[in-house]
Amino acid sequence: MNSSVLLRLLVMLVQLWPCSPRMQSSSTQNTQNTVQSFTALRRVRRGWLWEPLFATEEQITPNPVYIGQLKSDLDKQDGSLKYILTGEGAGSFFVIDEYNGKIYVIQKLDREKKPFYTLRAQAINRSTQLPVEPESEFIIKVRDVNDNEPQFLDGPYVATVPEMSPEGTSVTQVTATDADDPSYGNSARLLYSLIQGQPYFSVEPKTGVIRMASQMDRETKDQYLVIIQAKDMVGQPGALSATATVTINLSDVNDNPPKFQQRLYYMSVSEEAPVGTTVGRVFAEDSDTGDNAAMDYSIEADSSDAFNIITNNETQEGIILLKRRVDYESKRRYSIEVKAVNRYIDERFLKEGPFEDTTIVKINVEDADEPPVFTLENYVMEITEGAESGSLVGVVTARDPDVDNSPIRYSIVHSMLLKRLFSINEHNGAIITTEPLDREIASWHNITVTATETRNPEKISEANVYIQVLDVNDNAPEFPKDYETFVCENAVSGQLIQSISAVDQDDSAEGHHFNFSLAHEDSNSSYFTVKDNQDNTAGIFTAKSGFRRQEQFFFYLPILIQDNGTPPLTSTNTLTVTVCDCDTEIHTFYCRYGAFMYSLGLSTEALVAVLACILIILVFFLAIVTIRQQQKKPSFSEKMEEFRENIVSYDDEGGGEEDTEAFDISALRTRTVVQTHRPRKKVASEIQSLYRQSLQVGPDSAIFRQFISEKLEEANTDPSVPPYDSLQTYAFEGTGSLAGSLSSLGSTTSDMDQSYDYLADWGPHFKQLAGMYSFHRTVGD
């Protein structure tokens, strides 16, 4: 019978009989250890007969544990075949009986380290050592046992939940893990329970979610320690367990109103205390924390309005401050109601009642020796200017607010000016003048009056007194400035020559109004008239045509100006009119010049003569100074041309004087004279002489050319100076110009020979200049 037929017969036997005799015998031998560790199911693979192999972890005895058998269908059970096992764990964890193919576990297994092993089996002929079956690969699975306890990997846990949270509110979730196989048995199925934390908390058995079991008040206890247990095998007997600690903190909510610990506070304040003084502090306790304990204080029904309260946000205290000064003599006791209200209200707890509280504060005013008190803080008084000394300005009054009513003494805090102008009666506070006042000097005077208790001089008060000096019409109007008025000689009648106005130092409530007119005794009224414009201005007009400076240079017009004061005042202001030598347009410069000469009593011709003399004297003086400077010049200047510097130029970057290829310096040191050396002439004198001659003959003359030739020859043959490239001398002013020379050095004519009569034809602008030159020529003749 061949192997394939035998294999099919074995398969049929397996299907018809649930358990082979071989398996029954093996099961009988290992009833306690291995029957449950594998399934007695035969499979056929490549001539092999094998069963699914399972090894249970942690299952080990002093003897090897049988887990299954491999057998070839060629095995005659006569010992001719030998079974060999190789692969993972072969020899260390698993061994095979080489005669019958039974596999045993010889060492403890751990599924959490290795859940299965892959091995290979081979059957060989003992005599030939040749394989009788192909090598077969199979897997031994390690079955799990509950050998790992649960673990909380994220602990310890800390959670926070608001206080007063309703029942069932989720707090947090804890999670445990189990290294056992979750797909086999119940070894990894966990069940959570609460060990500590009842009756405030509960835990969901399957999810590990911790929930609130009742409402809790943070003010009673703000932290709880909860212990959660996790058991595997769904909590069955023999299950392994682990615990985790959860710290649960209760966060604050505003569920408590503020409460004053005192229903009545007593405080006191001195009547001398300034505004802003701290009178006292109140405090309302709030069991909440943070913003939930923040509160604002206020004063209720304070009809006196003498106190204020603010909140110290750091200490949550209410600070009572003095809002206005208190007076012991007026009111000695105050009673105020202070309210404290939570700044932030949680609407969920409004039903618990109002989140506020009130208390009563009684404040006593302490008596003190107070300084005198003026009836007014500031006094305003009036007095007419010019009032005689000793006139009453006004009266200041102060009193002692204390019960003893001490007498008062008054005084003025004097400056030197105020001491000269005012004084005060120290008994009744009457202020009087010590000399007449002038509003135009100062319209207001500010003085400080003190009131001092006679029994206690340290108690002093001050009051400001503002004194206004009332105006009276004691200043006549006047010109606002000095007018410069001019009139041409050929002016016509009715011509406006000046507009005038007026100012008045007095103060007019109705506004100033001035009237202008000429004085009746004016001798020049026939020449000029005044026209009042009725707007505080007036115009000065000519009353005749034609004026002559030779007859009268100045006119003095007395102008009467009257104001509208009570009584009205009038002043006479003189307007000076200067006659100018002009046709239609007035040149103020020439007019001022002529007026100045007229005031000196000199004519224009005389002034020109004086200026000419001064000019001649000045020129003569400058000439003398120049001659003296020429005589003091040292002789060394004449020898300056005999000295020259030794200038050597190099066109390369060579080695200085040692480099003789760049420049032959010996040529400069050679003193070979081409011709007999002649002494140098005085160049300055020759140039000056040549310059004067060139002015007459020009550059083409033989004298000029001879001078240039000689200077070139002398320069070229002089061994003491470097060679000149060119010599350029400019000793004349050029020729060919149509305008001619502007210099007067070569001029043979003088101003005396010239006639300036043509200036008279240039018009009125040059009339004055023509007259001056005509006078100068006449004086010269």
Side-chain angles (χ1 to χ4, degrees):
M1 183 181 296
N2 57 23
S3 60
S4 60
V5 175
L6 181 60
L7 180 61
R8 284 194 295 269
L9 291 175
L10 289 174
V11 170
M12 293 175 64
L13 289 175
V14 170
Q15 292 176 349
L16 294 176
W17 202 338
C19 223
S20 65
R22 183 177 56 187
M23 288 297 298
Q24 290 178 355
S25 62
S26 63
S27 297
T28 302
Q29 296 174 1
N30 300 283
T31 301
Q32 299 297 327
N33 297 325
T34 63
V35 173
Q36 294 85 7
S37 63
F38 62 90
T39 303
L41 177 63
R42 293 178 177 269
R43 297 180 182 271
V44 180
R45 182 177 180 183
R46 297 181 182 178
W48 284 94
L49 293 178
W50 58 278
E51 302 167 348
L53 303 179
F54 295 93
T56 303
E57 67 171 338
E58 303 292 338
Q59 185 175 355
I60 188 65
T61 62
N63 299 318
V65 178
Y66 170 75
I67 62 172
Q69 182 179 12
L70 296 177
K71 186 177 182 181
S72 173
D73 58 355
L74 299 178
D75 189 359
K76 303 299 184 178
Q77 296 185 357
D78 55 359
S80 63
L81 295 183
K82 180 181 181 180
Y83 294 94
I84 300 174
L85 184 67
T86 60
E88 294 179 337
S92 58
F93 288 97
F94 306 100
V95 294
I96 191 171
D97 189 333
E98 63 179 8
Y99 293 99
N100 56 21
K102 292 182 179 180
I103 300 175
Y104 299 89
V105 177
I106 61 173
Q107 188 173 332
K108 183 178 179 180
L109 301 177
D110 190 353
R111 188 202 65 85
E112 285 69 41
K113 293 183 179 179
K114 192 171 181 61
F116 63 89
Y117 294 84
T118 303
L119 296 99
R120 293 179 298 278
Q122 190 175 21
I124 63 174
N125 189 291
R126 287 182 180 273
S127 60
T128 63
Q129 296 296 316
L130 295 177
V132 296
E133 294 285 358
E135 186 178 48
S136 176
E137 184 178 275
F138 62 96
I139 295 175
I140 298 178
K141 292 185 178 181
V142 181
R143 281 181 174 174
D144 183 48
V145 295
N146 190 19
D147 59 342
N148 291 279
E149 62 183 16
Q151 291 185 353
F152 290 94
L153 301 180
D154 298 328
Y157 296 87
V158 178
T160 302
V161 63
E163 65 171 329
M164 306 303 293
S165 295
E167 184 178 349
T169 301
S170 175
V171 178
T172 187
Q173 183 179 14
V174 296
T175 303
T177 60
D178 196 316
D180 294 324
D181 187 1
S183 63
Y184 179 76
N186 296 325
S187 298
R189 296 181 61 185
L190 305 179
L191 191 68
Y192 299 94
S193 61
L194 195 64
I195 302 298
Q196 177 180 314
Q198 299 89 352
Y200 308 108
F201 302 96
S202 63
V203 63
E204 292 183 357
K206 294 183 179 181
T207 62
V209 175
I210 301 175
R211 297 185 181 275
M212 301 285 290
S214 63
Q215 284 190 333
M216 288 175 287
D217 189 3
R218 186 199 66 84
E219 287 71 37
T220 302
K221 186 177 181 181
D222 61 353
Q223 190 178 81
Y224 292 84
L225 197 64
V226 177
I227 299 177
I228 303 297
Q229 183 184 62
K231 276 188 176 183
D232 58 12
M233 296 185 66
V234 201
Q236 296 176 3
L240 302 178
S241 65
T243 59
T245 300
V246 182
T247 302
I248 300 178
N249 297 311
L250 297 182
S251 61
D252 185 56
V253 297
N254 191 10
D255 58 341
N256 293 279
K259 292 290 183 182
F260 284 103
Q261 299 304 306
Q262 294 179 233
R263 294 291 94 186
L264 185 63
Y265 288 84
Y266 290 96
M267 301 177 184
S268 61
V269 60
S270 173
E271 62 176 341
E272 284 187 322
V275 174
T277 299
T278 299
V279 179
R281 300 170 185 266
V282 296
F283 178 66
E285 291 184 350
D286 193 321
S287 301
D288 298 320
T289 60
D291 290 341
N292 295 323
M295 65 189 74
D296 293 316
Y297 295 89
S298 61
I299 295 177
E300 301 293 319
D302 181 17
S303 59
S304 65
D305 197 27
F307 302 96
N308 189 22
I309 189 168
I310 61 174
T311 303
N312 186 327
N313 292 323
E314 294 183 0
T315 63
Q316 295 300 316
E317 291 179 311
I319 304 174
I320 300 176
L321 304 175
L322 188 62
K323 189 175 181 180
R324 66 171 180 83
R325 296 287 294 270
V326 293
D327 185 13
Y328 174 82
E329 288 71 26
S330 300
K331 190 174 182 178
R332 303 183 180 184
R333 186 174 293 106
Y334 293 86
S335 179
I336 60 176
E337 183 181 5
V338 176
K339 178 188 289 187
V341 181
N342 269 140
R343 189 174 300 168
Y344 307 103
I345 306 285
D346 193 334
E347 296 181 355
R348 296 178 300 171
F349 304 102
L350 284 177
K351 60 183 180 180
E352 303 294 335
F355 283 77
E356 62 184 39
D357 195 17
T358 58
T359 188
I360 301 299
V361 180
K362 293 187 177 296
I363 303 174
N364 294 324
V365 180
E366 297 177 347
D367 188 23
D369 188 5
E370 301 174 86
V373 178
F374 282 95
T375 55
L376 297 175
E377 293 184 1
N378 299 299
Y379 292 85
V380 179
M381 303 177 181
E382 296 178 347
I383 187 171
T384 304
E385 68 171 326
E388 61 183 9
S389 299
S391 298
L392 178 63
V393 180
V395 179
V396 296
T397 304
R399 65 176 181 85
D400 183 7
D402 298 319
V403 178
D404 56 358
N405 195 15
S406 173
I408 305 300
R409 184 176 67 252
Y410 301 94
S411 62
I412 295 178
V413 180
H414 281 295
S415 67
M416 294 303 296
L417 175 61
L418 295 178
K419 187 176 181 180
R420 182 171 57 86
L421 298 178
F422 303 98
S423 65
I424 189 171
N425 189 309
E426 66 175 9
H427 299 293
N428 58 19
I431 300 174
I432 60 176
T433 60
T434 56
E435 67 175 43
L437 303 178
D438 188 355
R439 190 201 68 84
E440 284 68 43
I441 296 177
S443 60
W444 285 89
H445 296 278
N446 304 331
I447 64 176
T448 301
V449 177
T450 62
T452 307
E453 289 185 11
T454 56
R455 299 174 185 173
N456 188 359
E458 294 181 356
K459 300 300 179 180
I460 302 175
S461 298
E462 293 183 351
N464 295 319
V465 180
Y466 304 99
I467 301 174
Q468 183 181 14
V469 182
L470 301 179
D471 184 48
V472 296
N473 194 21
D474 59 344
N475 290 278
E478 58 185 0
F479 282 153
K481 63 178 182 179
D482 294 332
Y483 290 103
E484 286 186 315
T485 307
F486 305 95
V487 63
C488 290
E489 288 183 314
N490 58 353
V492 297
S493 177
Q495 180 177 339
L496 176 65
I497 62 172
Q498 184 68 58
S499 293
I500 60 175
S501 61
V503 294
D504 194 334
Q505 296 183 9
D506 294 322
D507 187 15
S508 176
E510 302 175 356
H512 290 292
H513 182 70
F514 305 112
N515 295 318
F516 300 88
S517 63
L518 277 175
H520 297 292
E521 67 276 5
D522 180 28
S523 60
N524 297 321
S525 60
S526 59
Y527 294 92
F528 303 95
T529 60
V530 176
K531 180 182 178 182
D532 194 336
N533 298 326
Q534 300 300 317
D535 60 354
N536 292 337
T537 63
I540 308 300
F541 294 86
T542 57
K544 57 171 290 186
S545 300
F547 295 86
R548 292 182 60 81
R549 289 196 304 167
Q550 290 76 6
E551 295 178 359
Q552 187 170 354
F553 209 96
F554 299 104
F555 291 91
Y556 300 99
L557 301 181
I559 308 297
L560 296 179
I561 308 176
Q562 184 180 20
D563 61 17
N564 60 335
T566 304
L569 294 180
T570 303
S571 66
T572 301
N573 298 265
T574 301
L575 183 67
T576 301
V577 181
T578 304
V579 180
C580 295
D581 182 12
C582 56
D583 294 334
T584 57
E585 186 177 354
I586 298 176
H587 294 278
T588 57
F589 173 77
Y590 294 115
C591 285
R592 292 192 188 98
Y593 169 75
F596 173 73
M597 297 303 301
Y598 181 80
S599 63
L600 295 178
L602 297 175
S603 63
T604 303
E605 291 79 3
L607 181 61
V608 172
V610 172
L611 294 177
C613 292
I614 294 174
L615 182 61
I616 292 172
I617 294 173
L618 181 60
V619 172
F620 181 73
F621 175 76
L622 292 176
I624 293 175
V625 172
T626 303
I627 293 173
R628 288 183 177 180
Q629 289 180 351
Q630 292 291 339
Q631 291 177 353
K632 291 181 181 181
K633 284 185 178 181
S635 59
F636 180 79
S637 60
E638 298 179 357
K639 299 180 181 180
M640 290 297 293
E641 297 181 0
E642 300 297 333
F643 295 90
R644 296 290 187 272
E645 292 182 358
N646 187 12
I647 301 176
V648 180
S649 299
Y650 293 90
D651 295 332
D652 63 333
E653 299 179 358
E657 293 186 0
E658 296 179 0
D659 188 355
T660 57
E661 295 180 0
F663 184 82
D664 188 2
I665 195 170
S666 62
L668 295 177
R669 298 173 180 171
T670 303
R671 305 189 56 85
T672 304
V673 180
V674 178
Q675 61 180 15
T676 303
H677 176 69
R678 293 178 296 177
R680 298 176 65 91
K681 299 179 181 180
K682 293 184 178 180
V683 179
S685 60
E686 290 181 357
I687 291 177
Q688 185 176 4
S689 175
L690 178 61
Y691 172 72
R692 294 195 181 97
Q693 296 179 23
S694 65
L695 294 176
Q696 305 296 330
V697 299
D700 295 332
S701 65
I703 297 174
F704 187 84
R705 291 195 299 271
Q706 180 183 359
F707 173 77
I708 294 300
S709 300
E710 291 180 357
K711 292 303 164 188
L712 286 174
E713 181 180 0
E714 183 178 353
N716 291 332
T717 58
D718 190 352
S720 62
V721 298
Y724 292 109
D725 290 336
S726 62
L727 176 63
Q728 297 180 359
T729 305
Y730 298 89
F732 60 95
E733 296 180 355
T735 58
S737 175
L738 297 177
S741 176
L742 297 177
S743 175
S744 60
L745 296 177
S747 177
T748 58
T749 61
S750 65
D751 292 341
M752 297 300 181
D753 300 329
Q754 299 183 21
S755 175
Y756 298 96
D757 295 337
Y758 61 87
L759 293 176
D761 299 332
W762 286 6
H765 296 286
F766 297 91
K767 184 176 181 180
Q768 186 72 21
L769 184 62
M772 293 174 62
Y773 272 86
S774 297
F775 171 78
H776 178 62
R777 186 180 61 178
T778 304
V779 173
D781 295 339

